[in-house]
Every structure is written in structure tokens, then in C-alpha cells.
Amino acid sequence: MKIEYPTQGTCAKAILIDVDDTTKTINNVTFIGGCNGNTSGISMLVKGMKVDDVIQRLNGIQCGMKTTSCPDQLAKALKSACQPD
């Protein structure tokens, strides 16, 4: 499953995510914009992880005085695409 998520409240403008439909693991994550070192690190860390584990670990993380962050936006993207209400 390919996900393109427009972020809100972060330096990154969007997140491109590739999730294996069968195993619900993350194949690849690419942030468009944002702090390259941090977003590249996040992408490498979550590669191969289960979607639910990524959501649990990253949901609610804040960046400075912001109410969200790039990791939080990744969790929100995965929740909206993989855990619909």
C-alpha cells in the first residue's frame, strides 16, 4: 500500500510511505522536507517494523513548542491509512 500524507504543523511538507499489505510492515518511508538527518534516521529506524508498533512508539511526540512532530505525523498517517475508524 502506498500512502502519501500531507503533514500539518511540521517542517516536512509530506510523507511517502510504503506498507506491505500482507504483513503490515513498513517497507519504506520518505519525508519531503524537514530536517534531513532526523527524518532519514526515523525512516531507517521504522523500516521493517509493524505499523501498530510504529504508531504506538511515535504517537504524540512533540517538537519543541509545537503540538506535533515529524514522528507524530508519521504515526497519524499510519493510523489514518491502516487503522480506519
Side-chain angles (χ1 to χ4, degrees):
M1 162 189 339
K2 304 282 186 189
I3 304 164
E4 185 171 346
Y5 185 81
T7 60
Q8 297 178 7
T10 62
C11 299
K13 301 299 178 206
I15 308 171
L16 309 175
I17 311 163
D18 179 20
V19 176
D20 184 293
D21 290 327
T22 305
T23 63
K24 298 295 185 207
T25 57
I26 296 175
N27 292 325
N28 191 46
V29 173
T30 303
F31 287 84
I32 308 301
C35 304
N36 185 53
N38 290 332
T39 56
S40 295
I42 294 164
S43 298
M44 293 303 293
L45 288 170
V46 301
K47 187 174 183 177
M49 287 182 65
K50 296 280 187 187
V51 166
D52 290 341
D53 293 338
V54 173
I55 292 169
Q56 183 179 20
R57 289 182 184 197
L58 302 183
N59 189 49
I61 292 175
Q62 296 179 330
C63 182
M65 299 299 290
K66 297 177 183 178
T67 59
T68 190
S69 65
C70 289
D72 182 54
Q73 289 292 296
L74 175 56
K76 288 181 186 321
L78 291 169
K79 280 169 75 172
S80 68
C82 301
Q83 295 181 337
D85 293 331

mmCIF file of all heavy atoms in Angstrom, residues 11-31:
data_model
loop_
_atom_site.group_PDB
_atom_site.id
_atom_site.type_symbol
_atom_site.label_atom_id
_atom_site.label_comp_id
_atom_site.label_asym_id
_atom_site.label_seq_id
_atom_site.Cartn_x
_atom_site.Cartn_y
_atom_site.Cartn_z
ATOM 1 N N CYS A 11 7.995 20.974 9.707
ATOM 2 C CA CYS A 11 8.836 21.468 8.616
ATOM 3 C C CYS A 11 8.688 20.596 7.368
ATOM 4 O O CYS A 11 8.746 21.090 6.253
ATOM 5 C CB CYS A 11 10.296 21.508 9.050
ATOM 6 S SG CYS A 11 10.606 22.608 10.449
ATOM 7 N N ALA A 12 8.520 19.299 7.578
ATOM 8 C CA ALA A 12 8.279 18.395 6.447
ATOM 9 C C ALA A 12 6.916 18.731 5.846
ATOM 10 O O ALA A 12 5.969 19.044 6.565
ATOM 11 C CB ALA A 12 8.310 16.943 6.903
ATOM 12 N N LYS A 13 6.830 18.665 4.542
ATOM 13 C CA LYS A 13 5.582 19.009 3.844
ATOM 14 C C LYS A 13 4.706 17.788 3.567
ATOM 15 O O LYS A 13 3.503 17.917 3.425
ATOM 16 C CB LYS A 13 5.896 19.718 2.521
ATOM 17 C CG LYS A 13 6.695 20.992 2.694
ATOM 18 C CD LYS A 13 5.931 21.999 3.522
ATOM 19 C CE LYS A 13 6.754 23.251 3.736
ATOM 20 N NZ LYS A 13 6.376 23.964 4.947
ATOM 21 N N ALA A 14 5.326 16.620 3.472
ATOM 22 C CA ALA A 14 4.585 15.396 3.175
ATOM 23 C C ALA A 14 5.423 14.185 3.577
ATOM 24 O O ALA A 14 6.637 14.288 3.766
ATOM 25 C CB ALA A 14 4.241 15.316 1.693
ATOM 26 N N ILE A 15 4.732 13.036 3.704
ATOM 27 C CA ILE A 15 5.406 11.771 3.984
ATOM 28 C C ILE A 15 4.907 10.746 2.975
ATOM 29 O O ILE A 15 3.698 10.612 2.763
ATOM 30 C CB ILE A 15 5.114 11.253 5.404
ATOM 31 C CG1 ILE A 15 5.386 12.331 6.454
ATOM 32 C CG2 ILE A 15 5.947 10.008 5.692
ATOM 33 C CD1 ILE A 15 4.908 11.954 7.850
ATOM 34 N N LEU A 16 5.845 10.052 2.340
ATOM 35 C CA LEU A 16 5.527 8.958 1.418
ATOM 36 C C LEU A 16 5.855 7.656 2.128
ATOM 37 O O LEU A 16 6.975 7.471 2.599
ATOM 38 C CB LEU A 16 6.337 9.093 0.133
ATOM 39 C CG LEU A 16 6.296 10.454 -0.564
ATOM 40 C CD1 LEU A 16 7.238 10.465 -1.752
ATOM 41 C CD2 LEU A 16 4.882 10.801 -0.972
ATOM 42 N N ILE A 17 4.886 6.764 2.203
ATOM 43 C CA ILE A 17 5.044 5.527 2.970
ATOM 44 C C ILE A 17 4.652 4.337 2.112
ATOM 45 O O ILE A 17 3.649 4.380 1.411
ATOM 46 C CB ILE A 17 4.153 5.551 4.235
ATOM 47 C CG1 ILE A 17 4.333 6.856 5.005
ATOM 48 C CG2 ILE A 17 4.445 4.343 5.125
ATOM 49 C CD1 ILE A 17 3.222 7.134 5.991
ATOM 50 N N ASP A 18 5.441 3.278 2.195
ATOM 51 C CA ASP A 18 5.132 2.021 1.516
ATOM 52 C C ASP A 18 4.979 0.952 2.587
ATOM 53 O O ASP A 18 5.930 0.666 3.323
ATOM 54 C CB ASP A 18 6.250 1.659 0.538
ATOM 55 C CG ASP A 18 5.998 0.348 -0.180
ATOM 56 O OD1 ASP A 18 4.837 -0.100 -0.242
ATOM 57 O OD2 ASP A 18 6.972 -0.232 -0.689
ATOM 58 N N VAL A 19 3.767 0.397 2.690
ATOM 59 C CA VAL A 19 3.455 -0.622 3.690
ATOM 60 C C VAL A 19 3.104 -1.918 2.973
ATOM 61 O O VAL A 19 2.333 -1.915 2.012
ATOM 62 C CB VAL A 19 2.261 -0.183 4.575
ATOM 63 C CG1 VAL A 19 1.861 -1.278 5.542
ATOM 64 C CG2 VAL A 19 2.594 1.095 5.327
ATOM 65 N N ASP A 20 3.665 -3.029 3.441
ATOM 66 C CA ASP A 20 3.319 -4.344 2.910
ATOM 67 C C ASP A 20 1.902 -4.688 3.365
ATOM 68 O O ASP A 20 1.637 -4.761 4.577
ATOM 69 C CB ASP A 20 4.320 -5.386 3.413
ATOM 70 C CG ASP A 20 4.071 -6.754 2.819
ATOM 71 O OD1 ASP A 20 3.016 -7.356 3.138
ATOM 72 O OD2 ASP A 20 4.917 -7.229 2.054
ATOM 73 N N ASP A 21 0.996 -4.887 2.425
ATOM 74 C CA ASP A 21 -0.406 -5.164 2.742
ATOM 75 C C ASP A 21 -0.606 -6.458 3.521
ATOM 76 O O ASP A 21 -1.500 -6.551 4.363
ATOM 77 C CB ASP A 21 -1.246 -5.228 1.456
ATOM 78 C CG ASP A 21 -1.419 -3.879 0.799
ATOM 79 O OD1 ASP A 21 -1.486 -2.859 1.515
ATOM 80 O OD2 ASP A 21 -1.491 -3.840 -0.442
ATOM 81 N N THR A 22 0.209 -7.446 3.252
ATOM 82 C CA THR A 22 0.041 -8.750 3.878
ATOM 83 C C THR A 22 0.554 -8.769 5.321
ATOM 84 O O THR A 22 -0.145 -9.201 6.227
ATOM 85 C CB THR A 22 0.773 -9.838 3.064
ATOM 86 O OG1 THR A 22 0.295 -9.796 1.718
ATOM 87 C CG2 THR A 22 0.538 -11.214 3.653
ATOM 88 N N THR A 23 1.771 -8.281 5.513
ATOM 89 C CA THR A 23 2.397 -8.366 6.840
ATOM 90 C C THR A 23 2.203 -7.109 7.683
ATOM 91 O O THR A 23 2.531 -7.114 8.859
ATOM 92 C CB THR A 23 3.911 -8.613 6.698
ATOM 93 O OG1 THR A 23 4.503 -7.487 6.016
ATOM 94 C CG2 THR A 23 4.183 -9.894 5.951
ATOM 95 N N LYS A 24 1.699 -6.034 7.073
ATOM 96 C CA LYS A 24 1.526 -4.738 7.758
ATOM 97 C C LYS A 24 2.843 -4.231 8.345
ATOM 98 O O LYS A 24 2.901 -3.714 9.446
ATOM 99 C CB LYS A 24 0.452 -4.820 8.852
ATOM 100 C CG LYS A 24 -0.913 -5.172 8.329
ATOM 101 C CD LYS A 24 -1.447 -4.080 7.426
ATOM 102 C CE LYS A 24 -2.876 -4.408 7.002
ATOM 103 N NZ LYS A 24 -3.238 -3.839 5.747
ATOM 104 N N THR A 25 3.923 -4.443 7.561
ATOM 105 C CA THR A 25 5.221 -3.898 7.944
ATOM 106 C C THR A 25 5.591 -2.768 6.986
ATOM 107 O O THR A 25 5.126 -2.722 5.845
ATOM 108 C CB THR A 25 6.333 -4.965 7.925
ATOM 109 O OG1 THR A 25 6.393 -5.542 6.624
ATOM 110 C CG2 THR A 25 6.094 -6.044 8.954
ATOM 111 N N ILE A 26 6.434 -1.891 7.468
ATOM 112 C CA ILE A 26 6.838 -0.737 6.675
ATOM 113 C C ILE A 26 8.025 -1.108 5.803
ATOM 114 O O ILE A 26 9.052 -1.580 6.301
ATOM 115 C CB ILE A 26 7.175 0.450 7.591
ATOM 116 C CG1 ILE A 26 5.917 0.866 8.342
ATOM 117 C CG2 ILE A 26 7.765 1.606 6.799
ATOM 118 C CD1 ILE A 26 6.102 1.945 9.355
ATOM 119 N N ASN A 27 7.860 -0.906 4.492
ATOM 120 C CA ASN A 27 8.947 -1.156 3.540
ATOM 121 C C ASN A 27 9.836 0.067 3.383
ATOM 122 O O ASN A 27 11.046 -0.061 3.253
ATOM 123 C CB ASN A 27 8.388 -1.534 2.164
ATOM 124 C CG ASN A 27 7.694 -2.874 2.175
ATOM 125 O OD1 ASN A 27 8.092 -3.789 2.881
ATOM 126 N ND2 ASN A 27 6.638 -2.990 1.393
ATOM 127 N N ASN A 28 9.223 1.255 3.365
ATOM 128 C CA ASN A 28 9.986 2.473 3.116
ATOM 129 C C ASN A 28 9.197 3.690 3.593
ATOM 130 O O ASN A 28 7.970 3.707 3.502
ATOM 131 C CB ASN A 28 10.279 2.607 1.619
ATOM 132 C CG ASN A 28 11.270 3.692 1.318
ATOM 133 O OD1 ASN A 28 12.301 3.798 1.962
ATOM 134 N ND2 ASN A 28 10.955 4.520 0.350
ATOM 135 N N VAL A 29 9.919 4.697 4.074
ATOM 136 C CA VAL A 29 9.336 5.988 4.448
ATOM 137 C C VAL A 29 10.245 7.073 3.907
ATOM 138 O O VAL A 29 11.463 7.019 4.088
ATOM 139 C CB VAL A 29 9.210 6.143 5.982
ATOM 140 C CG1 VAL A 29 8.752 7.553 6.347
ATOM 141 C CG2 VAL A 29 8.273 5.110 6.560
ATOM 142 N N THR A 30 9.644 8.072 3.240
ATOM 143 C CA THR A 30 10.385 9.223 2.744
ATOM 144 C C THR A 30 9.667 10.486 3.180
ATOM 145 O O THR A 30 8.477 10.643 2.911
ATOM 146 C CB THR A 30 10.478 9.207 1.201
ATOM 147 O OG1 THR A 30 11.090 7.984 0.787
ATOM 148 C CG2 THR A 30 11.286 10.383 0.687
ATOM 149 N N PHE A 31 10.382 11.360 3.872
ATOM 150 C CA PHE A 31 9.841 12.654 4.256
ATOM 151 C C PHE A 31 10.224 13.666 3.187
ATOM 152 O O PHE A 31 11.373 13.687 2.730
ATOM 153 C CB PHE A 31 10.414 13.112 5.599
ATOM 154 C CG PHE A 31 9.879 12.361 6.778
ATOM 155 C CD1 PHE A 31 10.431 11.145 7.164
ATOM 156 C CD2 PHE A 31 8.832 12.871 7.525
ATOM 157 C CE1 PHE A 31 9.955 10.451 8.257
ATOM 158 C CE2 PHE A 31 8.335 12.181 8.622
ATOM 159 C CZ PHE A 31 8.896 10.969 8.991
#
